[in-house]
């Protein structure tokens, strides 16, 4: 399988600013094919045209990751927040066009919980249905914009601690099918699937052609091979659905076992992780290659 394999920018730094463009060469030298870059906020001072030139110079591709919040949520009860969500997702399409990305992934529906410090709220079935309708209407509105730009949104289900909107692969499949537009596909992340899906491999096979982006993460977000993921079975499932799209790694859990450590919070690396990244990348590439022999 000739899937391009990439790394999330948060592995190295957050926020990623114009001062960090030199990281592209390092990422390429480790062996990655692309960077998964958070859609920059204005305060990040990242010129997307300049970043595109730096990516081309380094020979690196790019995938974008959207960052939604309560003020820009297409699922919100508040009309202004829903409009903010639509405006933001359209800005993401513009950003993708400028930097040369063809995929914009993430929990596009908004309503973050743990990372936003928001607990799940008790809601009635009617309220949840209304929010789901808002989400589908919003995605149906922006998917054609992505398609017209030669890109696609990649809808990511998150675990129950990070959202109360979309948790399982089957729910993601339902939303993608309801929107039914080439500008919207599915993003699957094994970290979340490990918590919410009965079988990662079966869920991948169920997703089939809807899958446009894949994140290969250990159950504890450590380096590939240090957790309990069955990578041969996972990659075999990708091969069975003829998935040749991008595969991102996000092993940004740091090697730190202090008590009372907020694991959900991003922390900068305390060591040079190059060799660990190379080893994890080698495992992912080898299991992708071997998957073809397991048919």
């Amino acid at each position: 399988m000739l899937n391009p394999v990439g790394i999330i920018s948060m592995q190295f730094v957050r926020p990623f600013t114009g001062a960090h463009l030199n990281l592209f060469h390092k990422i390429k030298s480790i062996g990655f094919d692309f960077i998964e870059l958070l859609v920059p906020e204005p305060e990040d001072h990242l010129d997307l045209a300049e970043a595109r030139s730096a990516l081309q110079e380094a020979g690196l591709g790019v995938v974008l990751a959207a960052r939604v919040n309560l003020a820009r949520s297409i699922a919100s009860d508040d009309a202004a927040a829903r409009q903010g969500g639509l405006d933001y997702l359209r800005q993401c399409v513009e950003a993708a066009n400028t930097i040369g990305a063809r995929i914009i992934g993430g929990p596009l529906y908004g309503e973050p919980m743990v990372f936003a410090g928001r607990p799940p709220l008790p809601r009635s079935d009617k309220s949840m249905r209304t929010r789901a309708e808002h989400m589908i209407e919003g995605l149906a509105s922006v998917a054609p914009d992505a398609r017209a730009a030669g890109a696609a949104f990649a809808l990511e289900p998150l675990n129950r601690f990070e959202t109360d909107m979309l948790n399982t692969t089957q729910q993601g499949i339902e939303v993608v099918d309801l929107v039914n537009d080439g500008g919207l596909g599915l993003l699957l992340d094994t970290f979340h699937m490990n918590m919410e899906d009965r079988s990662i491999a079966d869920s991948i096979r169920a997703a089939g052609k809807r899958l446009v982006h894949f994140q290969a993460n250990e159950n504890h977000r450590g380096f590939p091979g240090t957790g309990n993921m069955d990578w041969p079975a996972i990659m075999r499932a990708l091969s069975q659905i003829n998935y040749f799209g991008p595969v991102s790694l996000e092993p940004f859990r740091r090697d730190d076992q202090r008590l009372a450590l907020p694991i959900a919070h991003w922390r900068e690396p305390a060591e040079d992780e190059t060799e660990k990244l190379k080893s994890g990348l080698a495992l992912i590439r080898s299991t992708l290659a071997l998957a073809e022999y397991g048919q």
Side-chain angles (χ1 to χ4, degrees), residues 113-147:
M113 292 198 301
V114 63
F115 289 111
R118 181 181 73 86
L121 301 175
R123 296 180 183 271
S124 67
D125 289 348
K126 180 180 179 181
S127 173
M128 291 300 294
R129 284 195 300 271
T130 299
R131 294 168 71 220
E133 290 168 1
H134 289 325
M135 172 182 63
I136 294 164
E137 290 170 3
L139 292 171
S141 177
V142 298
D145 297 323
R147 174 168 44 82

Side-chain angles (χ1 to χ4, degrees), residues 6-14 16 23 26-27 30 32 35-36 38 217 221-224 249-254 266-274 276-277:
I7 187 75
I8 188 83
S9 59
M10 287 194 297
Q11 185 67 38
F12 305 95
V13 65
R14 184 178 186 181
F16 191 99
L23 282 173
K26 177 177 181 178
I27 291 168
I30 292 173
F32 290 105
I35 182 172
E36 183 165 343
L38 301 180
N217 295 313
R221 279 209 190 281
F223 296 98
L249 308 188
E250 299 177 322
F252 49 75
R253 174 175 176 172
R254 309 306 178 188
W266 182 86
R267 288 172 293 134
E268 63 182 348
E271 61 175 327
D272 183 352
E273 299 174 332
T274 299
K276 293 177 180 178
L277 287 170

Side-chain angles (χ1 to χ4, degrees), residues 196-254:
E196 303 297 350
D197 288 345
R198 294 182 180 180
S199 164
I200 292 177
D202 285 347
S203 293
I204 291 170
R205 286 187 283 265
K209 63 182 181 180
R210 304 172 186 84
L211 187 63
V212 297
H213 187 31
F214 190 76
Q215 293 173 337
N217 295 313
E218 279 292 355
N219 59 293
H220 61 343
R221 279 209 190 281
F223 296 98
T226 64
N228 63 21
M229 289 295 180
D230 187 348
W231 292 116
I234 291 169
M235 299 315 180
R236 192 175 304 120
L238 290 178
S239 178
Q240 288 167 344
I241 65 169
N242 295 313
Y243 177 74
F244 298 105
V247 175
S248 284
L249 308 188
E250 299 177 322
F252 49 75
R253 174 175 176 172
R254 309 306 178 188

Side-chain angles (χ1 to χ4, degrees), residues 16 24-25 77 101 128 192 205:
F16 191 99
F24 292 158
H25 283 285
D77 296 323
M128 291 300 294
H192 301 294
R205 286 187 283 265

Side-chain angles (χ1 to χ4, degrees), residues 8 36-40 63-67 88 92 103-106 215:
I8 188 83
E36 183 165 343
L37 190 65
L38 301 180
V39 175
V63 166
L64 290 183
R67 290 187 276 182
Y88 172 71
C92 289
I103 292 173
I104 307 154
Q215 293 173 337

